[in-house]
């Protein structure tokens, strides 16, 4: 048994720790031979200290206090002089490990106990002896999930990537350009998507959902519902024969309901996996119980369509879980004054993204919607047709449903910049069209963003400071009403196309997932990180991480950065065998017990 | 000229009702949604800004608060809960206290206890005065005839004296409003002709309140108009036909018919306003200042005591009718003496005057703008022309 000397220093006069209580606690620990209170900011007499260590025959020194590392050199020197092993000078850092709050003394005791036992404090939080399962589950196949999967898989660890829709890529796959560089979004994303698909360490589970999670950090058991794709992923070559023959047309979610798709479809040509899937809610065969239609199955030259395939549930075992479930747009119908749903040419930002996308329904042409007859339903519908008339003026309204307690009190962070990007695209594609931006405050906070804003202004977009109050129709012409507060006057701009920069909200199913995983959500409904500044990728639940929009609104660079950081946390957990537990929830006795166990395991 | 800033202005205004001015982040939603705001008078955002900056004199010179009729659209749509509608209401109270040269108005708005105290004082004085007159010159058991306790001729004279005094006070305050907003306003150089041209607005606005009707919902306007017309009817009856309506016991139908309709109108209007303020559902009735309640309660008890006095008199209970009459007078006199020149009621002068002055300001600004050679055309017309 080691003979331990505990030296408690007080380095801040405002410490909440009761030092006498701490000293008597330390004296009662089994290995402790010597406890000395050093007082406030002690001066260390190295020689006297060395004598004291020699006299007490100490072979481990615990230096305790707030930021005790400052005194470590002096103590190490004294210990060396006394003939000790310098690696046995251990720190019990109170403030650094959160012993500064109401229960400061109790936490300080726990930290001290760990140091006396020679166990790093953060490591005791995961029960021993557990080995962390080397596989990782990533929930959500957007850019965050893709990036995290690649980081982990490239390090040689198994990843299950579960995606709800038929393809990975998420929202970023819907975009044409990224701000502020105006890079082609697909050029960045699609190689990553293909890399995920081809990776030997990644198992891609599209059209699937996580239904139940049991177990504990390091050893989770996850139930995944694999919805029937009804097309064999491996043998489908995406020849499009099935789509050509399918008689059913429904609105295309991927194209933001601007145009139609068939009941058997591929969301977009570059989808990964590059295989078609059947929408069971629209398919005649599925709806009729296998008595009607079935044309696609007969037509398929590879015979890879099985319309009778059933959903199934699979169970996987993983050590860590990454949440990357992303976001969705706030329902623009709720912001009634802008007339979304009432006027066909009031679009949400995601609809406009699809319209300007070169692979979108209009081939990248910006048009106003036209009325077309839906022959099957015998109703007239407003559709974005590439032959439709281009708008003469476009109004972009910022902060729709954001920074307003009636909808979202928070700023959605991306809208200002994507709106500026829209203005650029409008000016580029329709140089004769007027483009108005209505904003409250322009939030251009990132690298190159301010410069991007100046560039867009110089390109001739009319930037109006003032929130739009209403979009109304006057004699068939949409008019946007607002106050230009810089010019101090009311403005009414006619606009053929109005784009609402709708705010973002957590994706559908976030509540259920949070419940299933035991991960708390913040006031806005996003997953809570462990510590906003210090641990933005961890959650309070050990072994579960967050990346991207599901934690808080953020742009693509921040999302990718966070996803990569998650990779580091997961890999550390796998390689050390310790996860990061929830330290706050452990009692002192629990920590002591675990520390003692760790010590026993070490011997 | 140096610009004086009052950094305590927002705190000061809070005692008049507006508590959330600081929340405003100037998105301009309120001005754009307002039916009354236009290129010349941009509000409520601009007054909110002036308040945040503490530009007292600029607000004193502003007509904006009087052009707002508080439909509440701005407050409903405000993304910050800054309550621009209530701020405009509070500014009207604040301006009322500024226009009043006696300082009494300010005292009443700042302290409801002072207002109630003054009401009680005037009520006691009135009561003592009429009782003294009655006991010296008449018989309290007689309502009509030569020994009447309070003959209509006497009350009539008293009414006219009071009317002249109140009109004078109100005229002086209205004059100060004109002085602050138009004469001392460095940005307005009004032309004499526009005064004459806009003169018709004074009676028109007073009688129809057509500006109020431009609000999103017309219901508050209709109710306010019926209340106002009932009140004016009562006033005409009292000022010119007191003899016919006071004396009895026969009911003089050609006059009383008007009185009954007006009483019904008053009761309906007051009770509707009270219920609305208790329910707090409609945006313009969500926030109530103490002065609003004092006004409504006074109006209600005045109307009710009038009804009681009338019923008692016509049922032949002359003694009781005389007592009710004294009580009625002891309520109606303080209400008029304090509310008309110093309280909420003063808006009967300020509202039409604001509509009148707004027309003059608009005229002046247009001529000032066109006299500048390269004057800037309105943004709306320019944008429409561009498209």
């Amino acid at each position: 048994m080691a003979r331990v000397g505990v030296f408690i220093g007080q380095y801040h006069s405002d410490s909440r720790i009761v030092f006498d209580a701490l000293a008597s606690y330390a004296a009662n620990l089994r290995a402790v031979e010597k406890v000395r209170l050093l007082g406030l900011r002690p001066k260390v007499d190295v020689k006297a200290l060395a004598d004291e260590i020699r006299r007490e025959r100490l072979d481990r020194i615990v230096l305790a206090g707030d930021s005790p590392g400052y005194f470590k050199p002096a103590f190490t020197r004294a210990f060396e002089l006394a003939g000790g092993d310098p690696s046995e000078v251990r720190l019990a850092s109170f403030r650094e490990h959160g012993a500064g709050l109401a229960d400061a003394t109790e936490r300080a005791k726990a930290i001290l106990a760990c140091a006396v036992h020679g166990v790093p404090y953060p490591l005791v939080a995961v029960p021993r002896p557990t080995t962390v399962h080397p596989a990782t589950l990533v929930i959500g196949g957007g850019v965050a999930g893709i990036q995290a999967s690649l980081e982990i898989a490239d390090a040689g660890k198994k990843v299950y990537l579960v995606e709800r829709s038929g393809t990975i890529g998420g929202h970023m796959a819907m975009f044409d350009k990224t701000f502020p560089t105006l890079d082609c979004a697909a050029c960045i994303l699609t190689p990553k998507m293909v890399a995920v698909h081809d990776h030997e360490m990644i198992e891609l589970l599209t059209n699937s959902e996580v239904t139940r999670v049991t177990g504990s950090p390091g050893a989770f058991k996850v139930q995944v519902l694999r919805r029937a794709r009804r097309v064999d992923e491996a043998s489908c070559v995406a020849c499009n024969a099935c789509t050509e023959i399918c008689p059913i047309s429904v609105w295309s979610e991927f194209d933001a309901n601007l145009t139609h798709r068939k009941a058997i479809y591929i969301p977009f040509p570059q989808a990964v996996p590059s295989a078609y899937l059947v929408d069971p809610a629209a398919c005649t065969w599925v709806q009729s119980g296998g008595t009607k239609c079935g044309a696609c199955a007969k037509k398929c030259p590879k015979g890879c369509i099985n319309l009778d395939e059933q959903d199934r549930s699979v169970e996987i075992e993983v050590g860590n879980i990454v949440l990357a479930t992303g976001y969705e747009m706030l329902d623009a119908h709720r912001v009634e004054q802008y007339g979304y749903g009432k006027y066909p040419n009031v679009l949400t930002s995601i609809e406009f993204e699809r319209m300007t996308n070169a692979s979108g329904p209009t081939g990248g042409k910006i048009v106003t919607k036209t009325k077309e007859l839906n022959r099957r339903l015998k109703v007239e519908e407003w559709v974005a047709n590439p032959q439709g008339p281009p708008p003469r003026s476009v109004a972009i309204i910022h902060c729709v449903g954001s920074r307003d307690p009636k909808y979202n009190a928070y700023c959605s962070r991306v809208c200002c910049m994507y709106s500026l990007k829209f203005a650029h695209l409008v000016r580029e594609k329709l140089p004769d069209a007027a483009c108005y931006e209505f904003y409250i405050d322009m939030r251009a906070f990132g690298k190159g963003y301010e410069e991007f804003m100046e560039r867009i202004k110089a390109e001739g977009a009319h930037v109006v400071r003032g929130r739009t109050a209403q979009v109304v129709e006057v004699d068939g012409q949409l008019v946007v009403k607002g106050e230009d507060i810089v010019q101090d006057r009311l403005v009414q701009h006619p606009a053929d196309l109005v784009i609402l920069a709708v705010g973002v909200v957590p994706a559908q199913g976030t509540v259920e997932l949070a419940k299933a995983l035991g991960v708390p959500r913040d006031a806005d409904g996003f997953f809570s990180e462990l510590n906003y500044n210090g641990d933005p990728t961890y959650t309070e639940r050990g072994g579960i991480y967050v990346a991207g929009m599901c934690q808080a609104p953020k742009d693509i660079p921040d999302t990718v950065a966070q996803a990569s950081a998650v990779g580091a946390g997961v890999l550390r957990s796998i390689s050390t065998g310790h996860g990061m537990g929830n330290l706050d929830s452990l009692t002192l006795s629990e920590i002591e017990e675990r520390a003692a166990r760790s010590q026993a395991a070490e011997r | 000229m140096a610009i004086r800033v009052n950094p305590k202005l927002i705190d000061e205004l809070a005692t008049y009702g507006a508590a959330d001015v600081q929340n405003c982040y100037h998105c301009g939603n309120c001005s754009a949604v307002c039916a009354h705001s236009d290129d010349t008078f941009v509000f409520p955002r601009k007054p909110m800004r002036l308040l945040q900056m503490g530009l007292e004199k600029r607000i004193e010179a502003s007509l904006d608060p009087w052009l707002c009729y508080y439909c509440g659209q701005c407050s409903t749509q405000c993304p910050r809960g800054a309550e621009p509608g209530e701020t405009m209401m509070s500014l009207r109270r604040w301006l009322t206290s500024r226009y009043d040269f006696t300082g009494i108005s300010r005292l009443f708005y700042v302290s409801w206890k002072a207002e109630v105290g003054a009401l009680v004082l005037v009520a006691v004085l009135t009561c003592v005065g009429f009782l003294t007159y009655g006991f010296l010159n008449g018989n309290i058991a007689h309502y009509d005839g030569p020994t009447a306790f309070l003959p209509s001729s006497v009350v009539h004279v008293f009414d006219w004296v009071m009317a002249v005094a109140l009109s004078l006070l109100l005229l002086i305050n209205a004059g100060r409003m004109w002085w602050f907003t138009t004469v001392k306003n460095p940005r307005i150089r009004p032309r004499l002709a526009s005064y004459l041209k806009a003169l018709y607005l004074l009676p028109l606005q007073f009688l129809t309140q057509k500006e109020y009707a431009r609000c999103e919902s017309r219901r508050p306007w209709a109710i306010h108009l019926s209340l106002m017309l009932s009140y004016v009817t009562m006033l005409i009856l009292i000022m010119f036909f007191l003899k016919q309506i006071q004396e009895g016991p026969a009911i003089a139908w050609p006059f009383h018919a008007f009185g009954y309709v007006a009483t019904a109108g008053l009761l309906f209007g007051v009770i509707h306003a009270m219920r609305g303020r208790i329910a707090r559902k409609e945006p313009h009735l969500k926030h109530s200042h103490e002065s609003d309640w004092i006004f409504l309660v006074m109006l209600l008890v005045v109307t009710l005591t009038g009804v009681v006095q009338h019923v008692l008199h016509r049922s032949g209970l002359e003694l009781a009718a005389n007592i009710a009459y004294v009580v009625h007078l002891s309520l109606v006199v303080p209400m008029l003496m304090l509310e008309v020149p110093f309280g909420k009621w003063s808006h009967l002068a300020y509202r039409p005057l604001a509509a009148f002055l707004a027309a003059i300001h608009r005229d002046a600004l247009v001529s000032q703008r066109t006299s500048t050679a390269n004057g800037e055309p309105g943004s709306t017309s320019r944008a429409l022309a561009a498209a």
Side-chain angles (χ1 to χ4, degrees):
Chain A
M1 167 133 330
R3 291 173 64 85
V4 184
V6 177
F7 295 87
I8 305 170
Q10 193 185 347
Y11 305 113
H12 298 277
S13 54
D14 60 345
S15 183
R16 286 194 184 206
I17 296 162
V18 184
F19 284 94
D20 292 336
L22 195 63
S24 53
Y25 170 80
N28 283 326
L29 287 170
R30 253 194 321 147
V32 175
E33 294 297 323
K34 168 82 187 168
V35 178
R36 187 146 74 84
L37 282 168
L38 298 169
L40 190 64
R41 293 200 197 90
K43 275 207 174 67
V44 184
D45 180 347
V46 173
K47 199 168 173 305
L49 193 61
D51 289 342
E52 189 181 351
I53 291 167
R54 205 177 291 122
R55 200 165 53 242
E56 299 283 348
R57 292 184 286 118
L58 300 177
D59 45 24
R60 178 177 290 164
I61 299 283
V62 171
L63 188 50
D66 298 329
S67 330
Y70 182 76
F71 298 93
K72 196 181 176 189
F75 275 79
T76 310
R77 175 111 188 85
F79 200 44
E80 275 174 333
L81 282 176
D85 171 7
S87 69
E88 284 298 315
V89 178
R90 305 284 173 119
L91 298 181
S93 312
F94 298 153
R95 182 168 290 210
E96 289 68 19
H97 283 125
L101 306 168
D103 58 344
T105 309
E106 287 305 295
R107 288 200 79 171
K109 285 178 186 172
I111 295 162
L112 187 69
C114 286
V116 168
H117 290 305
V119 187
Y121 178 61
L123 297 190
V124 300
V126 171
R128 293 281 192 86
T130 31
T131 44
V132 171
H133 194 286
T136 305
L137 167 70
V138 177
I139 307 176
V143 66
I146 289 172
Q147 182 76 8
S149 300
L150 287 174
E151 291 281 7
I152 299 162
D154 283 348
K157 305 294 175 191
K158 174 89 181 170
V159 173
Y160 297 95
L161 176 53
V162 173
E163 163 61 38
R164 187 160 53 188
S165 74
T167 174
I168 57 170
H171 280 101
M172 190 175 168
M174 300 165 93
F175 304 159
D176 185 43
K177 293 279 192 289
T178 62
F179 59 78
T181 49
L182 297 172
D183 285 331
C184 148
C187 307
I188 300 163
L189 188 67
T190 44
K192 285 183 193 275
M193 288 161 63
V194 174
V196 164
H197 184 260
D198 295 346
H199 210 295
E200 67 278 10
M201 296 308 285
I202 299 178
E203 194 171 327
L204 188 52
L205 309 172
T206 50
N207 221 19
S208 302
E209 270 180 71
V210 170
T211 48
R212 202 156 61 91
V213 177
T214 52
S216 55
F220 290 111
K221 280 194 171 59
V222 183
Q223 207 138 53
V224 180
L225 175 68
R226 302 220 58 194
R227 292 190 201 287
R229 195 180 186 94
R230 295 184 168 82
V231 176
D232 182 29
E233 235 177 89
S235 43
C236 176
V237 290
C239 67
N240 208 38
C242 52
T243 294
E244 275 162 19
I245 197 137
C246 179
I248 305 295
S249 269
V250 289
W251 289 112
S252 161
E253 304 89 356
F254 190 81
D255 280 326
N257 299 347
L258 285 180
T259 184
H260 297 97
R261 62 161 169 79
K262 293 294 182 63
I264 183 164
Y265 68 107
I266 188 160
F268 63 109
Q270 297 78 24
V272 170
S274 185
Y276 282 55
L277 71 155
V278 176
D279 176 358
C283 174
T284 313
W285 177 275
V286 176
Q287 290 299 319
S288 67
T291 52
K292 287 180 191 160
C293 195
C296 52
K298 284 172 220 147
K299 182 83 181 175
C300 179
K302 302 269 291 179
C304 56
I305 300 176
N306 172 14
L307 289 172
D308 296 322
E309 193 189 331
Q310 295 298 315
D311 297 352
R312 63 204 165 89
S313 205
V314 293
E315 194 174 79
I316 52 178
E317 280 183 33
V318 294
N320 293 286
I321 298 174
V322 179
L323 295 172
T325 50
Y327 68 100
E328 60 188 38
M329 312 304 284
L330 179 100
D331 181 8
H333 290 96
R334 285 178 58 201
V335 193
E336 282 168 17
Q337 60 263 41
Y338 298 145
Y340 179 74
K342 189 168 152 202
Y343 308 126
N345 284 310
V346 176
L347 302 183
T348 64
S349 41
I350 207 82
E351 289 168 3
F352 188 73
E353 289 281 6
R354 287 313 294 158
M355 190 186 268
T356 53
N357 195 308
S359 65
T362 61
K365 281 177 84 174
I366 300 171
V367 294
T368 52
K369 284 193 191 172
T370 41
K371 228 179 201 179
E372 275 175 22
L373 184 72
N374 183 327
R375 286 203 199 90
R376 196 169 62 88
L377 298 174
K378 309 269 185 307
V379 286
E380 288 204 309
E381 285 169 344
W382 289 92
V383 197
N385 187 320
Q387 269 77 50
R392 292 164 298 171
S393 56
V394 179
I396 304 166
I397 302 174
H398 289 224
C399 288
V400 175
S402 298
R403 305 181 69 203
D404 185 338
K406 286 196 283 296
Y407 315 102
N408 298 332
Y410 53 88
C411 163
S412 294
R413 264 188 97 195
V414 287
C415 325
C416 279
M417 298 313 293
Y418 75 57
S419 298
L420 287 170
K421 177 185 79 182
F422 289 171
H424 167 82
L425 293 172
V426 170
R427 296 292 302 158
E428 185 184 62
K429 296 186 176 183
L430 303 168
D432 295 332
C435 183
Y436 304 101
E437 292 253 354
F438 289 88
Y439 72 101
I440 308 175
D441 298 294
M442 195 66 87
R443 298 202 158 161
F445 53 88
K447 177 170 164 173
Y449 289 11
E450 183 74 17
E451 296 86 333
F452 183 63
M453 180 183 76
E454 293 303 332
R455 171 181 168 186
I456 304 307
K457 280 188 191 166
E459 282 175 1
H462 301 289
V463 181
V464 181
R465 192 181 188 291
R467 189 183 196 235
T468 307
Q470 267 177 315
V471 176
V472 290
E473 201 172 49
V474 183
D475 304 330
Q477 170 71 60
L478 287 179
V479 175
V480 179
K481 286 180 165 183
E483 185 190 358
D484 182 340
I485 77 157
V486 176
Q487 307 277 340
D488 203 3
R489 64 188 180 193
L490 298 176
V491 290
Q492 297 192 15
H493 291 305
D496 292 337
L497 199 62
V498 177
I499 305 163
L500 306 180
V502 187
V504 299
V505 293
Q508 212 190 344
T510 300
V511 182
E512 293 78 16
L513 199 57
K515 267 194 200 139
L517 295 172
V519 173
R521 294 184 308 136
D522 60 26
D524 299 326
F526 296 97
F527 291 123
S528 285
E529 66 291 320
L530 180 61
N531 181 299
Y532 186 51
N533 291 305
D535 300 303
T537 58
Y538 297 87
T539 63
E540 212 172 89
R541 184 88 197 277
I544 299 181
Y545 307 77
V546 275
M549 278 267 201
C550 68
Q551 179 242 335
K554 58 174 72 71
D555 51 18
I556 292 169
D558 285 3
T559 295
V560 173
Q562 193 180 18
S564 287
V566 160
V570 170
L571 291 172
R572 186 185 70 177
S573 154
I574 296 168
S575 61
T576 60
H578 317 300
M580 175 102 166
N582 177 8
L583 304 174
D584 290 320
S585 64
L586 293 179
T587 59
L588 176 56
S589 57
E590 248 178 303
I591 288 175
E592 281 177 331
E593 197 185 311
R594 287 178 184 190
R597 249 194 321 207
S598 303
Q599 196 189 15
E602 232 167 62
R603 264 200 227 110
Chain B
M1 206 176 75
I3 295 172
R4 288 186 85 85
V5 169
N6 177 2
K8 293 257 191 271
L9 189 58
I10 287 186
D11 301 339
E12 191 185 320
L13 201 74
T15 57
Y16 291 82
D20 304 306
V21 183
Q22 286 291 36
N23 286 0
C24 174
Y25 63 21
H26 301 281
C27 65
N29 195 102
C30 48
S31 307
V33 81
C34 178
H36 293 92
S37 182
D38 58 28
D39 270 351
T40 317
F41 299 99
V42 190
F43 61 90
R45 189 198 61 79
K46 220 169 130 188
M48 301 283 278
R49 185 78 182 150
L50 297 177
L51 271 172
Q52 286 182 346
M53 292 166 83
L55 297 177
E56 208 170 351
K57 291 285 164 197
R58 284 281 298 274
I59 298 174
E60 209 174 75
S62 168
L63 285 172
D64 298 344
W66 297 109
L67 306 179
C68 155
Y69 287 83
Y70 206 168
C71 66
Q73 272 291 310
C74 50
S75 292
T76 311
Q77 278 205 18
C78 177
R80 299 284 295 167
E83 298 286 347
E86 187 54 24
T87 307
M88 301 302 275
M89 182 72 231
S90 310
L91 273 176
R92 287 193 286 277
R93 294 185 192 118
W94 183 82
L95 285 173
T96 302
S97 77
R98 283 294 164 127
Y99 300 154
D100 173 36
F101 71 102
T102 60
I104 295 172
S105 177
R106 188 183 168 277
L107 183 69
F108 286 176
Y109 274 128
V110 172
S111 157
W112 65 270
K113 287 174 187 160
E115 185 169 2
V116 171
L119 283 169
V120 170
L121 181 72
V122 178
V124 169
L125 288 176
T126 315
C127 183
V128 169
F130 279 115
L131 284 178
T132 315
Y133 180 88
F135 282 118
L136 289 178
N137 300 300
N139 185 339
I140 195 158
H142 296 167
Y143 193 90
D144 295 309
T147 54
F149 191 65
L150 292 175
S152 67
S153 54
V154 174
V155 180
H156 193 62
V157 171
F158 177 81
D159 283 348
W160 273 99
V161 171
M162 192 166 83
V164 169
L166 294 183
S167 304
L168 263 176
L169 278 171
L170 199 54
L171 259 176
I172 295 170
N173 288 347
R176 279 164 62 86
M177 176 181 178
W178 166 71
W179 183 258
F180 290 144
T181 58
T182 310
V183 182
K184 288 232 297 181
N185 189 338
R187 286 164 311 135
I188 303 291
R189 296 191 299 277
R191 295 176 307 150
L192 191 64
S194 35
Y195 278 101
L196 297 174
K197 219 172 77 189
L199 203 59
Y200 76 97
L201 279 171
L202 281 174
L204 181 71
Q205 179 59 23
F206 183 86
L207 288 172
T208 66
Q209 302 167 356
K210 69 180 180 66
E211 284 296 310
Y212 201 164
R214 280 173 53 206
C215 276
E216 175 105 347
S217 158
R218 281 182 156 223
R219 218 169 115 253
W221 163 74
I223 290 165
H224 186 268
L225 188 68
S226 76
L227 188 64
M228 191 280 291
L229 288 177
S230 307
Y231 174 68
V232 168
T233 309
M234 269 338 250
L235 190 76
I236 291 170
L237 286 176
I238 289 166
M239 296 307 289
F240 298 100
F241 306 103
L242 187 68
K243 187 172 159 62
Q244 287 85 338
I245 60 163
Q246 183 180 330
E247 291 176 3
I251 291 172
W253 277 105
F255 302 98
H256 275 108
F258 285 102
Y260 294 150
V261 173
T263 306
L266 279 176
L267 274 177
F268 166 74
V270 173
I271 289 169
H272 181 272
M274 283 180 143
R275 288 182 53 168
R277 284 196 186 273
I278 290 167
R280 296 158 69 105
K281 286 223 176 71
E282 291 165 86
H284 65 292
L285 296 175
K286 251 186 203 155
H287 308 272
S288 296
H289 193 253
E290 294 91 347
S291 59
D292 297 327
W293 278 115
I294 294 174
F295 174 72
L296 283 175
V297 169
M298 287 303 286
L299 202 52
L300 183 68
V301 293
V302 161
T303 315
L304 290 177
T305 52
V307 171
V308 167
Q309 174 245 4
H310 180 75
V311 170
L312 290 172
H313 173 212
R314 307 297 151 174
S315 352
L317 303 164
E318 298 203 4
L319 173 68
N322 271 326
I323 294 170
Y325 197 13
V326 173
V327 172
H328 177 64
L329 284 169
S330 308
L331 290 166
V332 76
V333 171
M335 177 179 79
L336 292 173
M337 292 239 308
L338 301 180
E339 290 291 346
V340 171
F342 310 120
K344 196 181 174 80
W345 233 335
S346 57
H347 76 273
L348 76 93
Y350 302 148
R351 283 285 195 192
L353 187 59
F356 168 65
L357 292 174
I360 292 160
H361 283 211
R362 205 167 268 136
D363 218 21
L365 286 170
V366 167
S367 67
Q368 278 161 229
R369 214 178 285 159
T370 45
S371 67
T372 330
N374 46 1
E376 202 184 354
S379 57
T380 313
S381 52
R382 194 173 54 179
L384 283 164

